[in-house]
Amino acid sequence: MKKTINALKFPFVFLLVLVALVACDKEFNVIESDVLGKDNANFTTGDTLLPVVAYNQKLSALQINRLGSTSTTGAAAASLLGVYNDPAYGLTKASIISQVTPTSFNPDFGENPQVVSVVLNIPYYSTANGTDDEGHVTYKLDSLYGNTEQPIKLTIYQNNYFLRDFDPNSVAENSQNYYSNGSSDSNSALTGTSTILFDNHIVNVDTPIFVDNEFIPSNEAIVIETGEGDDAVTSRSEPAFRVELDNDFWQQTILDKQDDPVLSNANNFKNYFRGLYFKAETLGIDDGSMILLNLASSKATITITYEKGPTDARTESTYTLNFSGNRLTTFINNFTTNLENGDAASGDEKLYLKGMEGSMAIVDLFSGDVDCDGDGIPDMDALECFKQTYRQTDENGEYRFDPLTRRFLLKRLINEAHLIINEDEDMNTGDDEDYHKYDRIYAYDLENKASTIDYIVDQSGNTVNPVNSKIISLGQRNSEGTFKIRLTQHLNNILLNDSTNTKIGLVLSTNVNYTNNSKILNSANNVDAIPTASIISPRGTILYGSKGIPEKEDKKLQLKIFLSKGKED
């Protein structure tokens, strides 16, 4: 029986391949006849370059609360903390202000409760990557940036600024948004009506809750030992920022408030204890590391362990707080590269994509007039020329429209269309040739604040490893520093369905799976929101724009179309 199966393997595989070829051939013939027309059965293929305009858009006053995560889950969790010195752009400091909330209210702490220990635990984003010599799981940190050997100063203060849930100036009681103020020299945020300086809202500035003058995030597993002797138990968990806090502070702040209304519900508590301020600072030199904290994790907690009961029968219990309230990340920028709005009419020579409060690029696929008839004089709107070149027309010069399919008929078929984008090979990478190896560019429909149709139909999504996700629509950086952004369906939608020609936004993203948007305060143009993934992506890159540089003409941004057309076209 086994020999019979082996004998059938080759014919069976050959049959499958043959069927697939026939199916593909049949499908192509249908497309050929529908798009090129029955009189154009003979066709040729080729490629062409369309002129585009790409320019820079400086970003400021970006929404910094309710930010999502660049982790694979995309949960609303991410908060950047630390110092990041981008070789091409310069320094950014990121600090966190967050409310904390008890997991239960109206607690009964028992008789004579006394704090034994207080532990703050906030997980990093990490991935198991093997085992050590003793068989224990080892980890790598997924969202750690910068100089991981240079420590920073981390101070945790009690914050006294109340983070509101709702905007009091909104008639519809909209949620309160907080916006970045990166040009400031202190940790601050904008509300739309005022500026908050968080250093002015510290409770007991001379007695912080915690200080670490040599903070470096560790990828070591958290090891916890409980019990003694034969009852000893050792547990291990993923890497986290885990420290012990002062017992007396939490005794006075929490346990001594038993039966007080401040512990009766969330609103009372948040007004009483307005949260924590995690302040990141440099130590002597402008360098350090920045990490993404998972504040929405169930393991992101402040755990107060206390004893209670009579002297001769003391027992232990715990009271836990989490970070389920409002939180925001502030930025302080000290850039060495000047970021400014670009030339929307002529385009820019270079494009600056910088995360956090940085910069993005805008691509206008059909801008201004072009020479459509080849006489050397720009005489037609670029979009209209594009339609005229690809659509069929009748004897009156009107575009032919099929009422059955409700689509325009084409004389040229766009097989593939890509934005070809080249990285500036001369940008500063800190002498690390692989510094930009895993950069991803997220391209999106700027006007609708949504993913492109090419992104939506892309079946190469990878929820486990975002670096390798959506690689058809958002091409990965190759070894030469070139990106290919697929816009095939985007252009076909314009031709066939007369969809709106929307501009394309380009941002740098560490997770192209995460497509939510965050608002921009008082935007003066049509860019009033930005992909949230860009705000929580510290990295930056520099690309060649659409305005060619004489010695780098072959590097400028271009739109390349691979097409099929009738031989007589």
Side-chain angles (χ1 to χ4, degrees), residues 13 23 72 103 129 147 152 187 206 212 242 254 266 278 291 304 314 343 402 404 459 467 491 506 528-529 541 554 559:
V13 171
T72 56
T103 58
N129 66 346
N147 185 349
I152 65 170
N187 289 304
D206 295 326
D212 186 346
R242 185 180 178 87
I254 302 297
F278 296 75
I291 191 144
I304 303 171
R314 302 284 281 173
D343 187 341
D402 186 344
L404 293 177
Q459 297 298 306
V467 172
L491 294 183
L506 303 178
D528 57 6
T541 191
D554 61 328
L559 176 60

PDB file of all heavy atoms in Angstrom, residues 13 23 72 103 129 147 152 187 206 212 242 254 266 278 291 304 314 343 402 404 459 467 491 506 528-529 541 554 559:
ATOM      1  N   VAL A  13       0.714  15.437  -7.700  1.00  0.00           N
ATOM      2  CA  VAL A  13       1.264  16.786  -7.589  1.00  0.00           C
ATOM      3  C   VAL A  13       1.215  17.490  -8.932  1.00  0.00           C
ATOM      4  O   VAL A  13       0.858  18.665  -9.052  1.00  0.00           O
ATOM      5  CB  VAL A  13       2.709  16.735  -7.054  1.00  0.00           C
ATOM      6  CG1 VAL A  13       3.354  18.121  -7.139  1.00  0.00           C
ATOM      7  CG2 VAL A  13       2.725  16.227  -5.622  1.00  0.00           C
ATOM      8  N   ALA A  23      -6.474  27.355 -13.906  1.00  0.00           N
ATOM      9  CA  ALA A  23      -7.332  28.300 -13.175  1.00  0.00           C
ATOM     10  C   ALA A  23      -6.794  29.719 -13.281  1.00  0.00           C
ATOM     11  O   ALA A  23      -7.535  30.668 -13.531  1.00  0.00           O
ATOM     12  CB  ALA A  23      -7.457  27.883 -11.713  1.00  0.00           C
ATOM     13  N   THR A  72       1.993  43.180  20.392  1.00  0.00           N
ATOM     14  CA  THR A  72       1.185  42.420  19.443  1.00  0.00           C
ATOM     15  C   THR A  72      -0.300  42.515  19.764  1.00  0.00           C
ATOM     16  O   THR A  72      -1.143  42.316  18.905  1.00  0.00           O
ATOM     17  CB  THR A  72       1.603  40.946  19.455  1.00  0.00           C
ATOM     18  OG1 THR A  72       1.502  40.431  20.793  1.00  0.00           O
ATOM     19  CG2 THR A  72       3.027  40.792  18.965  1.00  0.00           C
ATOM     20  N   THR A 103      -8.055  48.240  43.760  1.00  0.00           N
ATOM     21  CA  THR A 103      -8.857  47.193  43.131  1.00  0.00           C
ATOM     22  C   THR A 103     -10.092  46.848  43.947  1.00  0.00           C
ATOM     23  O   THR A 103     -10.962  46.103  43.489  1.00  0.00           O
ATOM     24  CB  THR A 103      -8.001  45.925  42.936  1.00  0.00           C
ATOM     25  OG1 THR A 103      -7.490  45.501  44.202  1.00  0.00           O
ATOM     26  CG2 THR A 103      -6.845  46.193  41.985  1.00  0.00           C
ATOM     27  N   ASN A 129      13.003  33.939  24.823  1.00  0.00           N
ATOM     28  CA  ASN A 129      13.895  33.629  23.698  1.00  0.00           C
ATOM     29  C   ASN A 129      14.837  32.461  23.973  1.00  0.00           C
ATOM     30  O   ASN A 129      15.849  32.294  23.286  1.00  0.00           O
ATOM     31  CB  ASN A 129      14.721  34.862  23.317  1.00  0.00           C
ATOM     32  CG  ASN A 129      15.689  35.282  24.416  1.00  0.00           C
ATOM     33  OD1 ASN A 129      15.576  34.837  25.559  1.00  0.00           O
ATOM     34  ND2 ASN A 129      16.641  36.130  24.078  1.00  0.00           N
ATOM     35  N   ASN A 147      20.847  53.696  24.244  1.00  0.00           N
ATOM     36  CA  ASN A 147      22.075  53.178  24.849  1.00  0.00           C
ATOM     37  C   ASN A 147      21.722  52.415  26.117  1.00  0.00           C
ATOM     38  O   ASN A 147      21.498  53.006  27.169  1.00  0.00           O
ATOM     39  CB  ASN A 147      23.022  54.335  25.156  1.00  0.00           C
ATOM     40  CG  ASN A 147      24.369  53.863  25.675  1.00  0.00           C
ATOM     41  OD1 ASN A 147      24.549  52.696  25.997  1.00  0.00           O
ATOM     42  ND2 ASN A 147      25.314  54.782  25.749  1.00  0.00           N
ATOM     43  N   ILE A 152      20.119  56.201  33.570  1.00  0.00           N
ATOM     44  CA  ILE A 152      19.464  57.497  33.706  1.00  0.00           C
ATOM     45  C   ILE A 152      19.002  57.652  35.148  1.00  0.00           C
ATOM     46  O   ILE A 152      19.033  56.700  35.935  1.00  0.00           O
ATOM     47  CB  ILE A 152      18.262  57.635  32.749  1.00  0.00           C
ATOM     48  CG1 ILE A 152      17.162  56.632  33.136  1.00  0.00           C
ATOM     49  CG2 ILE A 152      18.691  57.457  31.310  1.00  0.00           C
ATOM     50  CD1 ILE A 152      15.846  56.846  32.397  1.00  0.00           C
ATOM     51  N   ASN A 187       8.663  68.939  31.831  1.00  0.00           N
ATOM     52  CA  ASN A 187       7.568  68.014  31.558  1.00  0.00           C
ATOM     53  C   ASN A 187       6.242  68.749  31.691  1.00  0.00           C
ATOM     54  O   ASN A 187       5.865  69.186  32.776  1.00  0.00           O
ATOM     55  CB  ASN A 187       7.621  66.833  32.533  1.00  0.00           C
ATOM     56  CG  ASN A 187       8.790  65.922  32.238  1.00  0.00           C
ATOM     57  OD1 ASN A 187       8.929  65.427  31.129  1.00  0.00           O
ATOM     58  ND2 ASN A 187       9.650  65.713  33.229  1.00  0.00           N
ATOM     59  N   ASP A 206      10.855  67.434  47.996  1.00  0.00           N
ATOM     60  CA  ASP A 206      12.115  67.039  48.636  1.00  0.00           C
ATOM     61  C   ASP A 206      12.099  65.601  49.155  1.00  0.00           C
ATOM     62  O   ASP A 206      13.141  65.082  49.556  1.00  0.00           O
ATOM     63  CB  ASP A 206      12.439  67.988  49.794  1.00  0.00           C
ATOM     64  CG  ASP A 206      12.709  69.407  49.305  1.00  0.00           C
ATOM     65  OD1 ASP A 206      13.260  69.547  48.192  1.00  0.00           O
ATOM     66  OD2 ASP A 206      12.366  70.357  50.029  1.00  0.00           O
ATOM     67  N   ASP A 212      16.104  56.331  41.770  1.00  0.00           N
ATOM     68  CA  ASP A 212      17.158  55.443  41.298  1.00  0.00           C
ATOM     69  C   ASP A 212      18.068  56.270  40.412  1.00  0.00           C
ATOM     70  O   ASP A 212      17.683  56.696  39.323  1.00  0.00           O
ATOM     71  CB  ASP A 212      16.585  54.258  40.514  1.00  0.00           C
ATOM     72  CG  ASP A 212      17.654  53.236  40.145  1.00  0.00           C
ATOM     73  OD1 ASP A 212      18.850  53.548  40.251  1.00  0.00           O
ATOM     74  OD2 ASP A 212      17.286  52.118  39.730  1.00  0.00           O
ATOM     75  N   ARG A 242      10.422  46.518  38.880  1.00  0.00           N
ATOM     76  CA  ARG A 242       9.923  46.044  40.170  1.00  0.00           C
ATOM     77  C   ARG A 242      10.815  46.588  41.275  1.00  0.00           C
ATOM     78  O   ARG A 242      12.015  46.284  41.324  1.00  0.00           O
ATOM     79  CB  ARG A 242       9.898  44.515  40.221  1.00  0.00           C
ATOM     80  CG  ARG A 242       9.279  43.926  41.490  1.00  0.00           C
ATOM     81  CD  ARG A 242       9.308  42.412  41.453  1.00  0.00           C
ATOM     82  NE  ARG A 242       8.778  41.830  42.675  1.00  0.00           N
ATOM     83  CZ  ARG A 242       7.503  41.564  42.900  1.00  0.00           C
ATOM     84  NH1 ARG A 242       6.618  41.803  41.950  1.00  0.00           N
ATOM     85  NH2 ARG A 242       7.100  41.039  44.042  1.00  0.00           N
ATOM     86  N   ILE A 254      -2.626  55.098  52.926  1.00  0.00           N
ATOM     87  CA  ILE A 254      -3.689  54.115  52.672  1.00  0.00           C
ATOM     88  C   ILE A 254      -4.249  53.506  53.957  1.00  0.00           C
ATOM     89  O   ILE A 254      -5.427  53.696  54.283  1.00  0.00           O
ATOM     90  CB  ILE A 254      -3.180  52.995  51.739  1.00  0.00           C
ATOM     91  CG1 ILE A 254      -2.680  53.586  50.417  1.00  0.00           C
ATOM     92  CG2 ILE A 254      -4.294  51.983  51.480  1.00  0.00           C
ATOM     93  CD1 ILE A 254      -3.723  54.291  49.590  1.00  0.00           C
ATOM     94  N   ALA A 266     -13.893  55.086  43.521  1.00  0.00           N
ATOM     95  CA  ALA A 266     -12.785  55.492  42.646  1.00  0.00           C
ATOM     96  C   ALA A 266     -12.677  57.012  42.527  1.00  0.00           C
ATOM     97  O   ALA A 266     -11.577  57.568  42.551  1.00  0.00           O
ATOM     98  CB  ALA A 266     -12.949  54.856  41.267  1.00  0.00           C
ATOM     99  N   PHE A 278       6.398  59.742  37.143  1.00  0.00           N
ATOM    100  CA  PHE A 278       7.662  59.054  36.871  1.00  0.00           C
ATOM    101  C   PHE A 278       8.515  60.000  36.029  1.00  0.00           C
ATOM    102  O   PHE A 278       8.245  60.191  34.832  1.00  0.00           O
ATOM    103  CB  PHE A 278       7.427  57.756  36.096  1.00  0.00           C
ATOM    104  CG  PHE A 278       6.629  56.711  36.830  1.00  0.00           C
ATOM    105  CD1 PHE A 278       5.249  56.851  36.975  1.00  0.00           C
ATOM    106  CD2 PHE A 278       7.239  55.579  37.361  1.00  0.00           C
ATOM    107  CE1 PHE A 278       4.494  55.884  37.627  1.00  0.00           C
ATOM    108  CE2 PHE A 278       6.492  54.611  38.008  1.00  0.00           C
ATOM    109  CZ  PHE A 278       5.121  54.760  38.153  1.00  0.00           C
ATOM    110  N   ILE A 291      12.155  52.912  27.384  1.00  0.00           N
ATOM    111  CA  ILE A 291      11.445  51.637  27.347  1.00  0.00           C
ATOM    112  C   ILE A 291       9.946  51.867  27.388  1.00  0.00           C
ATOM    113  O   ILE A 291       9.460  52.885  27.906  1.00  0.00           O
ATOM    114  CB  ILE A 291      11.877  50.726  28.514  1.00  0.00           C
ATOM    115  CG1 ILE A 291      11.342  49.317  28.319  1.00  0.00           C
ATOM    116  CG2 ILE A 291      11.444  51.304  29.867  1.00  0.00           C
ATOM    117  CD1 ILE A 291      12.249  48.243  28.779  1.00  0.00           C
ATOM    118  N   ILE A 304       0.443  46.353  48.595  1.00  0.00           N
ATOM    119  CA  ILE A 304       0.754  46.674  49.997  1.00  0.00           C
ATOM    120  C   ILE A 304       0.494  45.422  50.831  1.00  0.00           C
ATOM    121  O   ILE A 304      -0.643  44.948  50.927  1.00  0.00           O
ATOM    122  CB  ILE A 304      -0.127  47.835  50.504  1.00  0.00           C
ATOM    123  CG1 ILE A 304       0.062  49.074  49.615  1.00  0.00           C
ATOM    124  CG2 ILE A 304       0.205  48.161  51.957  1.00  0.00           C
ATOM    125  CD1 ILE A 304      -0.922  50.187  49.920  1.00  0.00           C
ATOM    126  N   ARG A 314      -0.984  37.514  64.821  1.00  0.00           N
ATOM    127  CA  ARG A 314      -0.933  38.389  63.645  1.00  0.00           C
ATOM    128  C   ARG A 314      -1.051  37.571  62.352  1.00  0.00           C
ATOM    129  O   ARG A 314      -0.500  36.479  62.225  1.00  0.00           O
ATOM    130  CB  ARG A 314       0.376  39.176  63.605  1.00  0.00           C
ATOM    131  CG  ARG A 314       0.626  40.034  64.849  1.00  0.00           C
ATOM    132  CD  ARG A 314      -0.221  41.285  64.865  1.00  0.00           C
ATOM    133  NE  ARG A 314       0.297  42.333  64.003  1.00  0.00           N
ATOM    134  CZ  ARG A 314      -0.340  43.466  63.750  1.00  0.00           C
ATOM    135  NH1 ARG A 314      -1.551  43.686  64.278  1.00  0.00           N
ATOM    136  NH2 ARG A 314       0.193  44.385  62.977  1.00  0.00           N
ATOM    137  N   ASP A 343       7.509  71.995   1.523  1.00  0.00           N
ATOM    138  CA  ASP A 343       6.974  72.689   0.352  1.00  0.00           C
ATOM    139  C   ASP A 343       5.901  71.820  -0.291  1.00  0.00           C
ATOM    140  O   ASP A 343       6.206  70.883  -1.029  1.00  0.00           O
ATOM    141  CB  ASP A 343       8.109  72.963  -0.635  1.00  0.00           C
ATOM    142  CG  ASP A 343       7.675  73.833  -1.801  1.00  0.00           C
ATOM    143  OD1 ASP A 343       6.462  73.925  -2.055  1.00  0.00           O
ATOM    144  OD2 ASP A 343       8.562  74.415  -2.461  1.00  0.00           O
ATOM    145  N   ASP A 402     -19.603  51.031 -17.440  1.00  0.00           N
ATOM    146  CA  ASP A 402     -20.417  49.819 -17.518  1.00  0.00           C
ATOM    147  C   ASP A 402     -21.490  49.881 -16.437  1.00  0.00           C
ATOM    148  O   ASP A 402     -21.167  49.780 -15.242  1.00  0.00           O
ATOM    149  CB  ASP A 402     -19.537  48.589 -17.333  1.00  0.00           C
ATOM    150  CG  ASP A 402     -20.308  47.283 -17.551  1.00  0.00           C
ATOM    151  OD1 ASP A 402     -21.556  47.313 -17.548  1.00  0.00           O
ATOM    152  OD2 ASP A 402     -19.666  46.237 -17.700  1.00  0.00           O
ATOM    153  N   LEU A 404     -23.621  47.695 -15.569  1.00  0.00           N
ATOM    154  CA  LEU A 404     -23.801  46.428 -14.864  1.00  0.00           C
ATOM    155  C   LEU A 404     -22.818  46.302 -13.700  1.00  0.00           C
ATOM    156  O   LEU A 404     -23.196  45.977 -12.572  1.00  0.00           O
ATOM    157  CB  LEU A 404     -23.648  45.251 -15.829  1.00  0.00           C
ATOM    158  CG  LEU A 404     -24.735  45.120 -16.905  1.00  0.00           C
ATOM    159  CD1 LEU A 404     -24.437  43.954 -17.835  1.00  0.00           C
ATOM    160  CD2 LEU A 404     -26.103  44.943 -16.246  1.00  0.00           C
ATOM    161  N   GLN A 459      -3.072  40.023   2.922  1.00  0.00           N
ATOM    162  CA  GLN A 459      -3.278  38.826   3.737  1.00  0.00           C
ATOM    163  C   GLN A 459      -2.028  38.395   4.508  1.00  0.00           C
ATOM    164  O   GLN A 459      -2.011  37.328   5.120  1.00  0.00           O
ATOM    165  CB  GLN A 459      -3.739  37.668   2.839  1.00  0.00           C
ATOM    166  CG  GLN A 459      -5.074  37.911   2.149  1.00  0.00           C
ATOM    167  CD  GLN A 459      -6.197  38.084   3.152  1.00  0.00           C
ATOM    168  OE1 GLN A 459      -6.406  37.235   4.025  1.00  0.00           O
ATOM    169  NE2 GLN A 459      -6.938  39.174   3.033  1.00  0.00           N
ATOM    170  N   VAL A 467       7.110  42.899  12.962  1.00  0.00           N
ATOM    171  CA  VAL A 467       8.170  43.257  12.018  1.00  0.00           C
ATOM    172  C   VAL A 467       7.934  42.591  10.673  1.00  0.00           C
ATOM    173  O   VAL A 467       8.294  43.122   9.618  1.00  0.00           O
ATOM    174  CB  VAL A 467       9.550  42.871  12.587  1.00  0.00           C
ATOM    175  CG1 VAL A 467      10.645  43.055  11.542  1.00  0.00           C
ATOM    176  CG2 VAL A 467       9.862  43.707  13.819  1.00  0.00           C
ATOM    177  N   LEU A 491      -4.928  52.981  -6.563  1.00  0.00           N
ATOM    178  CA  LEU A 491      -5.035  53.611  -7.883  1.00  0.00           C
ATOM    179  C   LEU A 491      -6.165  53.013  -8.711  1.00  0.00           C
ATOM    180  O   LEU A 491      -6.887  53.730  -9.415  1.00  0.00           O
ATOM    181  CB  LEU A 491      -3.712  53.486  -8.625  1.00  0.00           C
ATOM    182  CG  LEU A 491      -2.523  54.245  -8.025  1.00  0.00           C
ATOM    183  CD1 LEU A 491      -1.293  54.082  -8.902  1.00  0.00           C
ATOM    184  CD2 LEU A 491      -2.846  55.710  -7.832  1.00  0.00           C
ATOM    185  N   LEU A 506       2.837  59.231   5.567  1.00  0.00           N
ATOM    186  CA  LEU A 506       3.914  58.291   5.878  1.00  0.00           C
ATOM    187  C   LEU A 506       4.470  58.584   7.266  1.00  0.00           C
ATOM    188  O   LEU A 506       4.849  59.721   7.567  1.00  0.00           O
ATOM    189  CB  LEU A 506       5.057  58.405   4.863  1.00  0.00           C
ATOM    190  CG  LEU A 506       4.741  58.199   3.380  1.00  0.00           C
ATOM    191  CD1 LEU A 506       6.003  58.396   2.545  1.00  0.00           C
ATOM    192  CD2 LEU A 506       4.150  56.818   3.131  1.00  0.00           C
ATOM    193  N   ASP A 528      -5.144  66.523  11.146  1.00  0.00           N
ATOM    194  CA  ASP A 528      -5.654  66.775  12.489  1.00  0.00           C
ATOM    195  C   ASP A 528      -5.592  65.539  13.377  1.00  0.00           C
ATOM    196  O   ASP A 528      -6.109  65.542  14.496  1.00  0.00           O
ATOM    197  CB  ASP A 528      -7.080  67.314  12.442  1.00  0.00           C
ATOM    198  CG  ASP A 528      -8.034  66.381  11.709  1.00  0.00           C
ATOM    199  OD1 ASP A 528      -7.626  65.271  11.329  1.00  0.00           O
ATOM    200  OD2 ASP A 528      -9.207  66.765  11.517  1.00  0.00           O
ATOM    201  N   ALA A 529      -4.967  64.481  12.859  1.00  0.00           N
ATOM    202  CA  ALA A 529      -4.760  63.267  13.650  1.00  0.00           C
ATOM    203  C   ALA A 529      -3.526  62.563  13.111  1.00  0.00           C
ATOM    204  O   ALA A 529      -3.100  62.792  11.976  1.00  0.00           O
ATOM    205  CB  ALA A 529      -5.977  62.352  13.575  1.00  0.00           C
ATOM    206  N   THR A 541      13.908  58.229  10.979  1.00  0.00           N
ATOM    207  CA  THR A 541      14.728  57.958   9.803  1.00  0.00           C
ATOM    208  C   THR A 541      14.628  59.145   8.858  1.00  0.00           C
ATOM    209  O   THR A 541      13.746  60.001   9.012  1.00  0.00           O
ATOM    210  CB  THR A 541      14.299  56.651   9.103  1.00  0.00           C
ATOM    211  OG1 THR A 541      15.278  56.289   8.126  1.00  0.00           O
ATOM    212  CG2 THR A 541      12.951  56.822   8.403  1.00  0.00           C
ATOM    213  N   ASP A 554      18.552  59.382  -8.852  1.00  0.00           N
ATOM    214  CA  ASP A 554      17.982  58.032  -8.897  1.00  0.00           C
ATOM    215  C   ASP A 554      17.409  57.597  -7.561  1.00  0.00           C
ATOM    216  O   ASP A 554      16.772  56.545  -7.460  1.00  0.00           O
ATOM    217  CB  ASP A 554      19.049  57.026  -9.338  1.00  0.00           C
ATOM    218  CG  ASP A 554      20.242  56.980  -8.384  1.00  0.00           C
ATOM    219  OD1 ASP A 554      20.568  58.044  -7.800  1.00  0.00           O
ATOM    220  OD2 ASP A 554      20.839  55.913  -8.214  1.00  0.00           O
ATOM    221  N   LEU A 559       6.611  57.064  -7.953  1.00  0.00           N
ATOM    222  CA  LEU A 559       5.493  56.135  -8.053  1.00  0.00           C
ATOM    223  C   LEU A 559       5.677  55.334  -9.333  1.00  0.00           C
ATOM    224  O   LEU A 559       5.601  55.879 -10.440  1.00  0.00           O
ATOM    225  CB  LEU A 559       4.155  56.881  -8.084  1.00  0.00           C
ATOM    226  CG  LEU A 559       2.900  56.022  -8.274  1.00  0.00           C
ATOM    227  CD1 LEU A 559       2.761  55.004  -7.146  1.00  0.00           C
ATOM    228  CD2 LEU A 559       1.660  56.890  -8.379  1.00  0.00           C
TER     229      LEU A 559
END
